[in-house]
Amino acid sequence: MPRIYLETIINADINTVFDLARDIDLHQRSTSKTKEKAIAGRTSGLIENNETVTWRAKHPGVYQTHNSKIINMKKPYEFTDIMLNGTFKSLHHRHIFKEEGGHTLMIDVFDFESPFGILGKLFNQIFLTRYLTDFLLERNNSIKNTAEL
């Protein structure tokens, strides 16, 4: 199963960064390139533990629907979301936040598995891992830029 691990240093307090990372409205603004829209479940504001959100977005060039649920939340240190329904065979995204020397370290641990066996694995290597990394980096930059205003 592929894993994407990212660290982002943000010059803001941990509570601000934690809330921005779970803000549905900011997520929609930060993913405007993919036309990501919350269409069911929590559709605005701050998502909480045990809540779900259904996203509709254009990835890569095809509209897809993805339903996820927050399965763990320890404010303001971490939360985890998983895919309930969607394109992936499985998806598990752990968001970790640490206070370090006046700033916040935001860590993403993003595990995913594509369907279609060996073809899915090949697709991950050739395209999907890089695509998802770029998607997460763009989103993290949006959180960082908003928090540091």
mmCIF file of all heavy atoms in Angstrom, residues 55-90:
data_model
loop_
_atom_site.group_PDB
_atom_site.id
_atom_site.type_symbol
_atom_site.label_atom_id
_atom_site.label_comp_id
_atom_site.label_asym_id
_atom_site.label_seq_id
_atom_site.Cartn_x
_atom_site.Cartn_y
_atom_site.Cartn_z
ATOM 1 N N TRP A 55 -17.703 14.184 -0.836
ATOM 2 C CA TRP A 55 -17.091 15.142 -1.756
ATOM 3 C C TRP A 55 -17.383 14.733 -3.195
ATOM 4 O O TRP A 55 -17.396 13.551 -3.518
ATOM 5 C CB TRP A 55 -15.572 15.161 -1.576
ATOM 6 C CG TRP A 55 -15.119 15.581 -0.224
ATOM 7 C CD1 TRP A 55 -14.703 14.789 0.798
ATOM 8 C CD2 TRP A 55 -15.029 16.923 0.268
ATOM 9 N NE1 TRP A 55 -14.358 15.533 1.882
ATOM 10 C CE2 TRP A 55 -14.550 16.848 1.588
ATOM 11 C CE3 TRP A 55 -15.307 18.169 -0.288
ATOM 12 C CZ2 TRP A 55 -14.344 17.983 2.362
ATOM 13 C CZ3 TRP A 55 -15.094 19.296 0.480
ATOM 14 C CH2 TRP A 55 -14.625 19.193 1.788
ATOM 15 N N ARG A 56 -17.577 15.726 -4.037
ATOM 16 C CA ARG A 56 -17.632 15.510 -5.488
ATOM 17 C C ARG A 56 -16.548 16.393 -6.072
ATOM 18 O O ARG A 56 -16.473 17.587 -5.774
ATOM 19 C CB ARG A 56 -18.999 15.882 -6.044
ATOM 20 C CG ARG A 56 -19.097 15.700 -7.553
ATOM 21 C CD ARG A 56 -20.553 15.752 -8.007
ATOM 22 N NE ARG A 56 -20.678 15.944 -9.424
ATOM 23 C CZ ARG A 56 -20.483 15.014 -10.356
ATOM 24 N NH1 ARG A 56 -20.132 13.805 -9.986
ATOM 25 N NH2 ARG A 56 -20.624 15.291 -11.636
ATOM 26 N N ALA A 57 -15.701 15.770 -6.895
ATOM 27 C CA ALA A 57 -14.566 16.508 -7.461
ATOM 28 C C ALA A 57 -14.160 15.901 -8.793
ATOM 29 O O ALA A 57 -14.525 14.767 -9.111
ATOM 30 C CB ALA A 57 -13.391 16.475 -6.495
ATOM 31 N N LYS A 58 -13.371 16.651 -9.516
ATOM 32 C CA LYS A 58 -12.869 16.210 -10.823
ATOM 33 C C LYS A 58 -11.400 15.820 -10.664
ATOM 34 O O LYS A 58 -10.527 16.671 -10.600
ATOM 35 C CB LYS A 58 -13.026 17.334 -11.848
ATOM 36 C CG LYS A 58 -12.986 16.879 -13.262
ATOM 37 C CD LYS A 58 -13.383 18.022 -14.183
ATOM 38 C CE LYS A 58 -13.557 17.529 -15.596
ATOM 39 N NZ LYS A 58 -13.994 18.603 -16.485
ATOM 40 N N HIS A 59 -11.144 14.518 -10.594
ATOM 41 C CA HIS A 59 -9.786 13.959 -10.440
ATOM 42 C C HIS A 59 -9.595 12.842 -11.446
ATOM 43 O O HIS A 59 -10.407 11.933 -11.451
ATOM 44 C CB HIS A 59 -9.580 13.333 -9.063
ATOM 45 C CG HIS A 59 -9.583 14.241 -7.909
ATOM 46 N ND1 HIS A 59 -8.532 15.045 -7.569
ATOM 47 C CD2 HIS A 59 -10.530 14.471 -6.975
ATOM 48 C CE1 HIS A 59 -8.823 15.709 -6.470
ATOM 49 N NE2 HIS A 59 -10.025 15.383 -6.100
ATOM 50 N N PRO A 60 -8.560 12.661 -12.055
ATOM 51 C CA PRO A 60 -7.939 13.622 -12.974
ATOM 52 C C PRO A 60 -8.776 13.683 -14.238
ATOM 53 O O PRO A 60 -8.734 12.774 -15.054
ATOM 54 C CB PRO A 60 -6.549 13.066 -13.230
ATOM 55 C CG PRO A 60 -6.645 11.598 -12.941
ATOM 56 C CD PRO A 60 -7.827 11.414 -12.012
ATOM 57 N N GLY A 61 -9.571 14.716 -14.337
ATOM 58 C CA GLY A 61 -10.418 14.957 -15.497
ATOM 59 C C GLY A 61 -11.759 14.240 -15.467
ATOM 60 O O GLY A 61 -12.553 14.392 -16.379
ATOM 61 N N VAL A 62 -12.022 13.445 -14.423
ATOM 62 C CA VAL A 62 -13.265 12.676 -14.327
ATOM 63 C C VAL A 62 -13.933 13.001 -12.989
ATOM 64 O O VAL A 62 -13.275 12.972 -11.945
ATOM 65 C CB VAL A 62 -12.974 11.155 -14.404
ATOM 66 C CG1 VAL A 62 -14.232 10.334 -14.210
ATOM 67 C CG2 VAL A 62 -12.282 10.796 -15.700
ATOM 68 N N TYR A 63 -15.232 13.304 -13.023
ATOM 69 C CA TYR A 63 -15.939 13.560 -11.773
ATOM 70 C C TYR A 63 -16.058 12.276 -10.962
ATOM 71 O O TYR A 63 -16.394 11.222 -11.493
ATOM 72 C CB TYR A 63 -17.324 14.162 -12.024
ATOM 73 C CG TYR A 63 -17.256 15.655 -12.225
ATOM 74 C CD1 TYR A 63 -17.308 16.202 -13.499
ATOM 75 C CD2 TYR A 63 -17.113 16.508 -11.137
ATOM 76 C CE1 TYR A 63 -17.230 17.579 -13.675
ATOM 77 C CE2 TYR A 63 -17.031 17.883 -11.304
ATOM 78 C CZ TYR A 63 -17.082 18.400 -12.572
ATOM 79 O OH TYR A 63 -16.987 19.755 -12.744
ATOM 80 N N GLN A 64 -15.738 12.399 -9.667
ATOM 81 C CA GLN A 64 -15.780 11.265 -8.748
ATOM 82 C C GLN A 64 -16.452 11.706 -7.454
ATOM 83 O O GLN A 64 -16.426 12.878 -7.101
ATOM 84 C CB GLN A 64 -14.359 10.791 -8.439
ATOM 85 C CG GLN A 64 -13.587 10.357 -9.664
ATOM 86 C CD GLN A 64 -12.146 10.024 -9.339
ATOM 87 O OE1 GLN A 64 -11.835 9.584 -8.244
ATOM 88 N NE2 GLN A 64 -11.261 10.230 -10.294
ATOM 89 N N THR A 65 -17.026 10.744 -6.760
ATOM 90 C CA THR A 65 -17.628 10.988 -5.455
ATOM 91 C C THR A 65 -16.869 10.183 -4.420
ATOM 92 O O THR A 65 -16.510 9.021 -4.663
ATOM 93 C CB THR A 65 -19.119 10.584 -5.464
ATOM 94 O OG1 THR A 65 -19.772 11.333 -6.482
ATOM 95 C CG2 THR A 65 -19.778 10.880 -4.129
ATOM 96 N N HIS A 66 -16.605 10.816 -3.290
ATOM 97 C CA HIS A 66 -15.800 10.215 -2.224
ATOM 98 C C HIS A 66 -16.463 10.527 -0.887
ATOM 99 O O HIS A 66 -16.686 11.692 -0.568
ATOM 100 C CB HIS A 66 -14.387 10.817 -2.288
ATOM 101 C CG HIS A 66 -13.487 10.434 -1.179
ATOM 102 N ND1 HIS A 66 -12.584 9.417 -1.292
ATOM 103 C CD2 HIS A 66 -13.340 10.925 0.075
ATOM 104 C CE1 HIS A 66 -11.914 9.311 -0.156
ATOM 105 N NE2 HIS A 66 -12.367 10.208 0.688
ATOM 106 N N ASN A 67 -16.802 9.497 -0.130
ATOM 107 C CA ASN A 67 -17.423 9.675 1.184
ATOM 108 C C ASN A 67 -16.411 9.286 2.250
ATOM 109 O O ASN A 67 -15.832 8.207 2.196
ATOM 110 C CB ASN A 67 -18.678 8.800 1.274
ATOM 111 C CG ASN A 67 -19.355 8.901 2.616
ATOM 112 O OD1 ASN A 67 -19.215 8.001 3.424
ATOM 113 N ND2 ASN A 67 -20.077 9.972 2.851
ATOM 114 N N SER A 68 -16.160 10.202 3.194
ATOM 115 C CA SER A 68 -15.186 9.914 4.245
ATOM 116 C C SER A 68 -15.777 10.195 5.616
ATOM 117 O O SER A 68 -16.778 10.899 5.755
ATOM 118 C CB SER A 68 -13.895 10.716 4.035
ATOM 119 O OG SER A 68 -14.155 12.091 4.079
ATOM 120 N N LYS A 69 -15.134 9.629 6.635
ATOM 121 C CA LYS A 69 -15.589 9.765 8.017
ATOM 122 C C LYS A 69 -14.389 10.038 8.912
ATOM 123 O O LYS A 69 -13.331 9.425 8.738
ATOM 124 C CB LYS A 69 -16.279 8.473 8.469
ATOM 125 C CG LYS A 69 -16.774 8.529 9.908
ATOM 126 C CD LYS A 69 -17.489 7.246 10.297
ATOM 127 C CE LYS A 69 -18.021 7.374 11.723
ATOM 128 N NZ LYS A 69 -18.800 6.195 12.098
ATOM 129 N N ILE A 70 -14.582 10.928 9.870
ATOM 130 C CA ILE A 70 -13.560 11.158 10.896
ATOM 131 C C ILE A 70 -13.741 10.053 11.941
ATOM 132 O O ILE A 70 -14.806 9.937 12.555
ATOM 133 C CB ILE A 70 -13.714 12.547 11.553
ATOM 134 C CG1 ILE A 70 -13.683 13.663 10.516
ATOM 135 C CG2 ILE A 70 -12.647 12.747 12.639
ATOM 136 C CD1 ILE A 70 -12.394 13.805 9.755
ATOM 137 N N ILE A 71 -12.705 9.223 12.105
ATOM 138 C CA ILE A 71 -12.830 8.072 13.015
ATOM 139 C C ILE A 71 -12.088 8.278 14.331
ATOM 140 O O ILE A 71 -12.242 7.479 15.254
ATOM 141 C CB ILE A 71 -12.347 6.771 12.358
ATOM 142 C CG1 ILE A 71 -10.870 6.868 11.953
ATOM 143 C CG2 ILE A 71 -13.243 6.407 11.172
ATOM 144 C CD1 ILE A 71 -10.217 5.535 11.662
ATOM 145 N N ASN A 72 -11.274 9.324 14.397
ATOM 146 C CA ASN A 72 -10.494 9.579 15.604
ATOM 147 C C ASN A 72 -10.171 11.066 15.653
ATOM 148 O O ASN A 72 -9.785 11.635 14.639
ATOM 149 C CB ASN A 72 -9.210 8.751 15.572
ATOM 150 C CG ASN A 72 -8.300 9.032 16.745
ATOM 151 O OD1 ASN A 72 -8.722 9.039 17.894
ATOM 152 N ND2 ASN A 72 -7.039 9.269 16.457
ATOM 153 N N MET A 73 -10.321 11.668 16.832
ATOM 154 C CA MET A 73 -9.942 13.069 16.969
ATOM 155 C C MET A 73 -9.486 13.319 18.397
ATOM 156 O O MET A 73 -10.204 13.012 19.349
ATOM 157 C CB MET A 73 -11.121 13.986 16.630
ATOM 158 C CG MET A 73 -10.753 15.457 16.641
ATOM 159 S SD MET A 73 -12.098 16.557 16.130
ATOM 160 C CE MET A 73 -12.194 16.217 14.375
ATOM 161 N N LYS A 74 -8.266 13.854 18.496
ATOM 162 C CA LYS A 74 -7.712 14.278 19.780
ATOM 163 C C LYS A 74 -7.291 15.729 19.607
ATOM 164 O O LYS A 74 -6.184 16.017 19.153
ATOM 165 C CB LYS A 74 -6.517 13.401 20.164
ATOM 166 C CG LYS A 74 -6.891 11.968 20.425
ATOM 167 C CD LYS A 74 -5.674 11.110 20.703
ATOM 168 C CE LYS A 74 -6.108 9.653 20.790
ATOM 169 N NZ LYS A 74 -5.053 8.737 20.436
ATOM 170 N N LYS A 75 -8.201 16.639 19.942
ATOM 171 C CA LYS A 75 -7.966 18.077 19.733
ATOM 172 C C LYS A 75 -6.849 18.564 20.646
ATOM 173 O O LYS A 75 -6.846 18.221 21.818
ATOM 174 C CB LYS A 75 -9.240 18.871 20.026
ATOM 175 C CG LYS A 75 -10.373 18.595 19.084
ATOM 176 C CD LYS A 75 -11.589 19.413 19.475
ATOM 177 C CE LYS A 75 -12.751 19.091 18.562
ATOM 178 N NZ LYS A 75 -13.951 19.838 18.913
ATOM 179 N N PRO A 76 -5.956 19.381 20.178
ATOM 180 C CA PRO A 76 -5.683 19.804 18.803
ATOM 181 C C PRO A 76 -4.499 19.044 18.191
ATOM 182 O O PRO A 76 -3.762 19.593 17.390
ATOM 183 C CB PRO A 76 -5.335 21.283 18.984
ATOM 184 C CG PRO A 76 -4.551 21.290 20.276
ATOM 185 C CD PRO A 76 -5.194 20.222 21.133
ATOM 186 N N TYR A 77 -4.340 17.782 18.565
ATOM 187 C CA TYR A 77 -3.127 17.047 18.209
ATOM 188 C C TYR A 77 -3.248 16.102 17.013
ATOM 189 O O TYR A 77 -2.251 15.826 16.354
ATOM 190 C CB TYR A 77 -2.605 16.278 19.420
ATOM 191 C CG TYR A 77 -2.339 17.197 20.584
ATOM 192 C CD1 TYR A 77 -3.201 17.243 21.669
ATOM 193 C CD2 TYR A 77 -1.260 18.078 20.560
ATOM 194 C CE1 TYR A 77 -2.972 18.125 22.723
ATOM 195 C CE2 TYR A 77 -1.027 18.961 21.605
ATOM 196 C CZ TYR A 77 -1.886 18.981 22.683
ATOM 197 O OH TYR A 77 -1.667 19.860 23.714
ATOM 198 N N GLU A 78 -4.427 15.595 16.752
ATOM 199 C CA GLU A 78 -4.557 14.727 15.585
ATOM 200 C C GLU A 78 -6.014 14.417 15.283
ATOM 201 O O GLU A 78 -6.881 14.523 16.140
ATOM 202 C CB GLU A 78 -3.780 13.424 15.754
ATOM 203 C CG GLU A 78 -4.323 12.483 16.803
ATOM 204 C CD GLU A 78 -3.529 11.184 16.861
ATOM 205 O OE1 GLU A 78 -2.459 11.185 17.489
ATOM 206 O OE2 GLU A 78 -3.991 10.201 16.277
ATOM 207 N N PHE A 79 -6.237 14.048 14.030
ATOM 208 C CA PHE A 79 -7.504 13.432 13.640
ATOM 209 C C PHE A 79 -7.221 12.535 12.440
ATOM 210 O O PHE A 79 -6.235 12.695 11.730
ATOM 211 C CB PHE A 79 -8.611 14.459 13.374
ATOM 212 C CG PHE A 79 -8.426 15.341 12.165
ATOM 213 C CD1 PHE A 79 -8.973 15.004 10.932
ATOM 214 C CD2 PHE A 79 -7.742 16.545 12.262
ATOM 215 C CE1 PHE A 79 -8.832 15.833 9.831
ATOM 216 C CE2 PHE A 79 -7.593 17.387 11.176
ATOM 217 C CZ PHE A 79 -8.139 17.026 9.953
ATOM 218 N N THR A 80 -8.095 11.560 12.256
ATOM 219 C CA THR A 80 -7.925 10.579 11.194
ATOM 220 C C THR A 80 -9.227 10.451 10.426
ATOM 221 O O THR A 80 -10.302 10.358 11.026
ATOM 222 C CB THR A 80 -7.546 9.199 11.774
ATOM 223 O OG1 THR A 80 -6.347 9.338 12.539
ATOM 224 C CG2 THR A 80 -7.329 8.173 10.665
ATOM 225 N N ASP A 81 -9.108 10.467 9.102
ATOM 226 C CA ASP A 81 -10.277 10.193 8.273
ATOM 227 C C ASP A 81 -10.020 8.981 7.397
ATOM 228 O O ASP A 81 -8.878 8.695 7.030
ATOM 229 C CB ASP A 81 -10.687 11.417 7.437
ATOM 230 C CG ASP A 81 -9.626 11.881 6.463
ATOM 231 O OD1 ASP A 81 -8.778 12.697 6.863
ATOM 232 O OD2 ASP A 81 -9.649 11.436 5.301
ATOM 233 N N ILE A 82 -11.093 8.264 7.114
ATOM 234 C CA ILE A 82 -11.023 7.105 6.227
ATOM 235 C C ILE A 82 -12.087 7.253 5.147
ATOM 236 O O ILE A 82 -13.080 7.957 5.330
ATOM 237 C CB ILE A 82 -11.240 5.771 6.982
ATOM 238 C CG1 ILE A 82 -12.621 5.749 7.645
ATOM 239 C CG2 ILE A 82 -10.131 5.522 7.991
ATOM 240 C CD1 ILE A 82 -13.052 4.373 8.132
ATOM 241 N N MET A 83 -11.865 6.592 4.039
ATOM 242 C CA MET A 83 -12.852 6.551 2.971
ATOM 243 C C MET A 83 -13.866 5.459 3.296
ATOM 244 O O MET A 83 -13.479 4.331 3.596
ATOM 245 C CB MET A 83 -12.181 6.255 1.628
ATOM 246 C CG MET A 83 -13.160 6.233 0.467
ATOM 247 S SD MET A 83 -12.460 5.494 -1.021
ATOM 248 C CE MET A 83 -12.410 3.771 -0.520
ATOM 249 N N LEU A 84 -15.142 5.809 3.231
ATOM 250 C CA LEU A 84 -16.205 4.822 3.380
ATOM 251 C C LEU A 84 -16.625 4.278 2.024
ATOM 252 O O LEU A 84 -16.831 3.081 1.860
ATOM 253 C CB LEU A 84 -17.420 5.434 4.091
ATOM 254 C CG LEU A 84 -17.195 5.939 5.513
ATOM 255 C CD1 LEU A 84 -18.448 6.632 6.033
ATOM 256 C CD2 LEU A 84 -16.766 4.807 6.427
ATOM 257 N N ASN A 85 -16.774 5.173 1.047
ATOM 258 C CA ASN A 85 -17.126 4.818 -0.337
ATOM 259 C C ASN A 85 -16.343 5.724 -1.265
ATOM 260 O O ASN A 85 -16.152 6.894 -0.956
ATOM 261 C CB ASN A 85 -18.614 5.055 -0.617
ATOM 262 C CG ASN A 85 -19.520 4.324 0.320
ATOM 263 O OD1 ASN A 85 -19.316 3.163 0.599
ATOM 264 N ND2 ASN A 85 -20.533 5.015 0.822
ATOM 265 N N GLY A 86 -15.939 5.183 -2.395
ATOM 266 C CA GLY A 86 -15.241 6.020 -3.357
ATOM 267 C C GLY A 86 -14.426 5.207 -4.330
ATOM 268 O O GLY A 86 -14.569 3.989 -4.425
ATOM 269 N N THR A 87 -13.548 5.892 -5.009
ATOM 270 C CA THR A 87 -12.764 5.302 -6.082
ATOM 271 C C THR A 87 -11.685 4.348 -5.587
ATOM 272 O O THR A 87 -11.358 3.380 -6.251
ATOM 273 C CB THR A 87 -12.116 6.429 -6.914
ATOM 274 O OG1 THR A 87 -13.144 7.318 -7.330
ATOM 275 C CG2 THR A 87 -11.401 5.891 -8.125
ATOM 276 N N PHE A 88 -11.117 4.635 -4.427
ATOM 277 C CA PHE A 88 -10.014 3.828 -3.912
ATOM 278 C C PHE A 88 -10.517 2.511 -3.332
ATOM 279 O O PHE A 88 -11.664 2.409 -2.889
ATOM 280 C CB PHE A 88 -9.257 4.589 -2.814
ATOM 281 C CG PHE A 88 -8.543 5.800 -3.309
ATOM 282 C CD1 PHE A 88 -9.138 7.048 -3.230
ATOM 283 C CD2 PHE A 88 -7.277 5.704 -3.863
ATOM 284 C CE1 PHE A 88 -8.492 8.180 -3.688
ATOM 285 C CE2 PHE A 88 -6.616 6.828 -4.321
ATOM 286 C CZ PHE A 88 -7.230 8.065 -4.240
ATOM 287 N N LYS A 89 -9.632 1.541 -3.291
ATOM 288 C CA LYS A 89 -9.924 0.306 -2.565
ATOM 289 C C LYS A 89 -9.916 0.604 -1.069
ATOM 290 O O LYS A 89 -10.747 0.116 -0.317
ATOM 291 C CB LYS A 89 -8.892 -0.768 -2.922
ATOM 292 C CG LYS A 89 -9.172 -2.111 -2.317
ATOM 293 C CD LYS A 89 -8.193 -3.149 -2.839
ATOM 294 C CE LYS A 89 -8.461 -4.494 -2.204
ATOM 295 N NZ LYS A 89 -7.491 -5.497 -2.703
ATOM 296 N N SER A 90 -8.955 1.450 -0.636
ATOM 297 C CA SER A 90 -8.922 1.932 0.743
ATOM 298 C C SER A 90 -8.156 3.247 0.796
ATOM 299 O O SER A 90 -7.309 3.523 -0.048
ATOM 300 C CB SER A 90 -8.280 0.909 1.680
ATOM 301 O OG SER A 90 -6.913 0.771 1.393
#
